[in-house]
Amino acid sequence: MSVLAVESLRVKLPIPGGDVTIVDGVDYDVQPGEVFGIAGESGSGKTISMLALLGLLPEHSTVEGTALFAGKELIGMPRRELRDIAGRDLAMVFQDPFTSLHPMLTVGRQLSEHVRRHLHLDRHAAEERAVELLEDVRIPDPRAALRAYPHHFSGGMRQRIAIAIALACRPKLLIADEPTTALDVTVQAGILRLLDRLRREQDLAVILITHDLGVLSSIADRVSVFYAGRVVESGARGDVLQHPRHPYTRALLDALPHPEAAKERPLVAIGGSPPTPGHIPSGCSFHTRCTHAVDSCRVDVPELRAVSDRRLACPVDPFSA
Amino acid sequence: MTTVPTAIDEPPAASERRFWRPPGFVRFVLRRLAALVLLTLGITAVAFVLTQLVPSNAVATNLGEQAAGDPAAVQAFKHHYGLDRPLPVRYAIYLDHLVHGDLGQSSLTHDAVTHDLGQFIPATGELALYSVLFAAIVGIGFGTVAALRRNRPTDHLLRVASLAGISMPTFWIALVALYVGFFKLGWFPGAERLDPGVSPPPSVTGLYTIDALIAGKFSLFVQALHHLILPALVLAAFNVSLLTRFTRSAVLEVIGNDYVRAARAKGLPERVVVVRYILRAALPSVITVLGLVFANVLTGAVLVEKIFSWPGIGQYAYEAAVNLDVPAIAGVSIFVAVVYVTINFIVDVLYGVIDPRIRIT
Ligand SMILES: Nc1ncnc2c1ncn2[C@@H]1O[C@H](COP(=O)(O)OP(=O)(O)OP(=O)(O)O)[C@@H](O)[C@H]1O
Ligand SMILES: [Mg+2]
């Protein structure tokens, strides 16, 4: 059984002068113990689709669809019920460790307050748990770190702390929203290795969001590619990243610095820019930037269909094997 | 296919291992304290210059016309009080007197200025205390509620109310309050700290409400409080509005932060999120305004004490100024300035207490 099964997730956010659709019918499921990668350009709705699960969207947002988490429907769940799941079974690490930790609260407090609440531990037990967690994420001198404040740590260390906070109650699913985007490349690698080890040790499922397919190629089991609030291609990591079939996935990969293929293939930037919410092109939202588009792409919204080893939202399918 | 960069070793790289310095909070406080002392010294210098600006008066008022006309007598007088000495020496003498609690004699009350101050400060202190307390609780509360309910009816209502509170001059509010609360409705007394003929509780703090409680005289406490309500509310009105507006914007600035979202993602109850995460982060800006509120209350006291016949430092200052009672003016100036500097010091230290990032700078 999947840890999380999301179907037809649709999110509209309020903007001055009406609602705007940010996530437009997204389907995916996450299996226990796997790293599920979500890739897509900035603004494609990755973060919003996750916030929708945790009920963290701005006021007056509308969410449709279903999201079954451990047998419970998250969409429309009352806040007080959701509060018992959030931070306990379903945890999230945010994009920017410089803003996601409270600057005026000690690391120890931020590490243990939800542990005490969710797991009903007393102060001492919660502190022991906090030390254990900091050791787990390789923070030197964990006991001293408990009394320190976030600004005492570098970005990489802060993200380790944020991960420790997220894992504190042994969640079933960790949503890691671009956990390395704000960090140096060398630090990034350490964080990814850490996530990879933790999920193996703790039988943890991870949703790893990124706009860097290179990150996914190292640790994701399965990958979904988002474009303008929709999934355009999804499947096993090897299939999707080694033999991309959607023109957008291919373009994303071509835009990536390629150590092995550097000599043969030049870097290709994707022409045009991603559509902004409220100005999504008709038909296939990628058709304006797609070199393989045919007339029907401008009219028909492509469905995400199962094709051989994956799911694909491109009827043209120019790269079919 | 690409892979993640190769130098992957799980323990954090050395460059990442930057760690923290020992908390320098004591050093921080000491530095602020040194600044406090220097500022206070500066204030005494200003007060000293003030007393020196009217030197001929000292001769005239102290010697009488006959003697003032006699150069020898004037010379003797000046010598006796060190008035013929160089300025720095006179300042040193002044400081010496100051340290020994000697601010000179008020030409109006013919009492030592320090005695007068001791008489009037507690009355103002009590008024200011209740006023600031009320403004802080109500203003911060209103501001928080307005921010959490932004663009809803509650927010609009509070915005209109605070705008009104800020635009209405205090003397007008005072007169209306006096007219309605005392004259029309008769709900509140209109003057003084206690009813006529009632003697104050034995003085411990000088604050009647507290002294009454210490003495166990509950009815006296109620009476003192009853007298305080109207002037304290009038003094607070502007400051409630000020705090409401500043707290609202401070909270709004914090509310969209990632760490607030992260706190909710941890499943913390809304009450904890608001108090520990949002208000905590908004507090530094609020405290700045709170310092300002203190200053406002002291300034406003002159007017409000006059209108409510409140026997406080404001009235004393007013009389001193009108009658050119130089030692009294200097004494009040030093007192008020020291209060301001102390408030600033407290605000600075509170910043450090609240925001650990400030302590190391
Ligand atoms: N509160 C909001 N109100 C209106 N629009 C919003 C709001 N938050 C985000 N958006 C819009 O929703 C779109 C999707 O945002 P989202 O943060 O999900 O993107 P993302 O895929 O996570 O991108 P990134 O890689 O930059 O994090 C963006 O175009 C953004 O402008
Ligand atoms: Mg994002």
Side-chain angles (χ1 to χ4, degrees):
Chain A
M1 202 185 81
S2 43
V3 182
L4 175 69
V6 174
E7 257 175 63
S8 326
L9 183 70
R10 218 171 285 272
V11 180
K12 291 197 194 107
L13 294 184
I15 53 164
D19 286 357
V20 64
T21 302
I22 304 288
V23 180
D24 193 11
V26 156
D27 302 284
Y28 60 89
D29 63 283
V30 182
Q31 300 303 322
E34 78 168 341
V35 172
F36 184 78
I38 292 181
E41 279 169 295
S42 190
S44 54
K46 305 182 299 290
T47 300
I48 296 292
S49 67
M50 294 304 142
L51 295 179
L53 302 181
L54 285 161
L56 296 176
L57 292 174
E59 278 180 280
H60 309 299
S61 310
T62 42
V63 184
E64 290 161 27
T66 62
L68 274 183
F69 174 75
K72 290 196 185 114
E73 177 57 57
L74 293 179
I75 308 300
M77 181 182 278
R79 267 230 68 83
R80 74 184 15 262
E81 216 177 306
L82 199 55
R83 269 204 287 271
D84 289 333
I85 294 179
R88 182 194 177 127
D89 299 320
L90 174 57
M92 182 152 175
V93 172
F94 290 84
Q95 194 158 340
D96 186 353
F98 290 94
T99 58
S100 64
L101 298 173
H102 198 294
M104 304 174 197
L105 299 176
T106 59
V107 167
R109 183 183 274 283
Q110 298 188 62
L111 251 175
S112 56
E113 55 188 348
H114 59 310
V115 179
R116 294 185 62 180
R117 183 181 130 72
H118 287 308
L119 305 184
H120 310 290
L121 297 183
D122 63 19
R123 181 188 298 270
H124 181 73
E127 187 173 319
E128 289 313 306
R129 174 77 183 130
V131 169
E132 195 182 299
L133 283 160
L134 289 178
E135 273 165 2
D136 250 7
V137 297
R138 305 283 189 262
I139 298 283
D141 198 357
R143 273 187 202 280
L146 287 184
R147 282 184 305 280
Y149 291 90
H151 72 272
H152 294 130
F153 299 89
S154 65
M157 295 293 237
R158 288 189 210 198
Q159 199 58 296
R160 284 167 188 269
I161 292 169
I163 290 172
I165 292 174
L167 296 182
C169 300
R170 301 187 203 283
K172 298 190 181 74
L173 175 63
L174 174 72
I175 299 171
D177 185 5
E178 308 199 32
T180 60
T181 304
L183 306 175
D184 293 344
V185 178
T186 48
V187 180
Q188 279 184 18
I191 297 285
L192 291 177
R193 260 303 255 273
L194 172 69
L195 281 176
D196 197 31
R197 174 173 64 80
L198 292 172
R199 66 113 172 189
R200 272 183 279 108
E201 285 174 6
Q202 310 192 359
D203 192 31
L204 170 79
V206 178
I207 296 181
L208 181 62
I209 298 176
T210 176
H211 48 230
D212 181 357
L213 285 173
V215 165
L216 295 186
S217 68
S218 63
I219 67 168
D221 297 304
R222 290 188 304 133
V223 172
S224 252
V225 180
F226 274 44
Y227 186 78
R230 292 204 185 114
V231 177
V232 294
E233 182 168 11
S234 72
R237 180 227 326 187
D239 297 333
V240 174
L241 298 187
Q242 316 241 350
H243 312 287
R245 276 172 70 172
H246 197 284
Y248 176 62
T249 315
R250 174 151 297 230
L252 268 187
L253 284 164
D254 286 345
L256 214 62
H258 241 252
E260 295 109 57
K263 289 177 202 85
E264 303 122 61
R265 248 195 294 176
L267 276 185
V268 194
I270 307 178
S273 50
T276 49
H279 303 279
I280 310 281
S282 63
C284 171
S285 44
F286 187 60
H287 82 255
T288 49
R289 304 167 75 190
C290 181
T291 48
H292 304 274
V294 297
D295 283 348
S296 63
C297 295
R298 289 176 246 287
V299 188
D300 304 328
V301 177
E303 230 178 287
L304 187 67
R305 288 176 296 116
V307 292
S308 59
D309 55 357
R310 72 189 71 194
R311 300 205 295 161
L312 183 68
C314 182
V316 179
D317 199 4
F319 305 108
S320 66
Chain B
M1 200 59 262
T2 52
T3 46
V4 253
T6 40
I8 309 176
D9 200 20
E10 218 209 280
S15 65
E16 223 196 315
R17 215 173 281 194
R18 227 181 306 135
F19 225 40
W20 64 87
R21 297 177 240 183
F25 192 57
V26 175
R27 232 173 337 125
F28 167 81
V29 173
L30 285 181
R31 213 170 19 234
R32 294 298 137 115
L33 208 56
L36 173 86
V37 170
L38 279 179
L39 262 169
T40 312
L41 217 60
I43 291 160
T44 60
V46 173
F48 168 71
V49 169
L50 180 71
T51 60
Q52 298 304 307
L53 281 179
V54 226
S56 56
N57 275 12
V59 177
T61 45
N62 282 282
L63 283 187
E65 225 165 282
Q66 190 80 59
D70 176 359
V74 170
Q75 196 51 44
F77 171 82
K78 284 189 170 177
H79 182 74
H80 185 256
Y81 284 96
L83 294 181
D84 55 348
R85 315 276 281 276
L87 210 62
V89 177
R90 292 206 310 250
Y91 181 47
I93 294 172
Y94 182 80
L95 276 186
D96 182 57
H97 288 173
L98 203 61
V99 170
H100 292 96
D102 180 5
L103 285 166
Q105 205 182 54
S106 159
S107 59
L108 201 65
T109 62
H110 297 291
D111 259 325
V113 170
T114 38
H115 171 268
D116 289 349
L117 289 180
Q119 197 82 19
F120 296 117
I121 286 172
T124 302
E126 189 166 35
L127 184 60
L129 184 73
Y130 283 91
S131 196
V132 170
L133 222 56
F134 177 82
I137 293 170
V138 175
I140 294 173
F142 277 1
T144 308
V145 169
L148 294 177
R149 302 237 174 287
R150 70 185 167 291
N151 295 331
R152 302 221 199 123
T154 324
D155 182 26
H156 297 312
L157 188 76
L158 287 172
R159 180 174 317 130
V160 172
S162 65
L163 192 66
I166 273 187
S167 346
M168 282 191 295
T170 301
F171 76 85
W172 191 78
I173 299 180
L175 290 177
V176 170
L178 199 60
Y179 180 74
V180 176
F182 167 63
F183 187 71
K184 268 290 181 204
L185 300 175
W187 287 356
F188 299 101
E192 300 286 341
R193 301 175 76 184
L194 293 171
D195 293 346
V198 175
S199 53
S203 178
V204 180
T205 60
L207 311 183
Y208 285 1
T209 47
I210 293 177
D211 287 350
L213 283 183
I214 290 173
K217 295 177 180 163
F218 191 70
S219 65
L220 200 60
F221 166 79
V222 172
Q223 188 182 117
L225 202 61
H226 198 197
H227 278 253
L228 269 165
I229 289 176
L230 220 44
L233 287 187
V234 168
L235 257 182
F238 174 83
N239 298 300
V240 168
S241 309
L242 194 71
L243 271 167
T244 302
R245 294 166 73 93
F246 271 87
T247 306
R248 179 183 184 271
S249 64
V251 168
L252 279 184
E253 219 161 274
V254 168
I255 220 165
N257 267 320
D258 259 6
Y259 53 74
V260 174
R261 189 174 269 172
R264 294 208 170 96
K266 282 158 78 174
L268 297 177
E270 198 54 24
R271 179 179 43 81
V272 174
V273 174
V274 169
V275 174
R276 194 178 294 159
Y277 279 76
I278 297 177
L279 279 187
R280 178 72 183 248
L283 212 50
S285 339
V286 173
I287 293 231
T288 313
V289 183
L290 216 49
L292 200 67
V293 163
F294 245 107
N296 285 341
V297 164
L298 280 185
T299 319
V302 176
L303 191 90
V304 171
E305 286 179 3
K306 191 82 196 126
I307 291 176
F308 286 91
S309 313
W310 194 263
I313 201 84
Q315 279 223 66
Y316 183 62
Y318 173 80
E319 296 300 335
V322 169
N323 294 291
L324 248 159
D325 182 351
V326 174
I329 295 174
V332 171
S333 307
I334 289 181
F335 165 72
V336 171
V338 166
V339 169
Y340 275 69
V341 172
T342 309
I343 290 169
N344 265 315
F345 169 72
I346 293 173
V347 166
D348 275 354
V349 171
L350 281 181
Y351 279 158
V353 171
I354 293 163
D355 191 343
R357 288 168 300 179
I358 289 173
R359 289 176 212 167
I360 33 172
T361 53

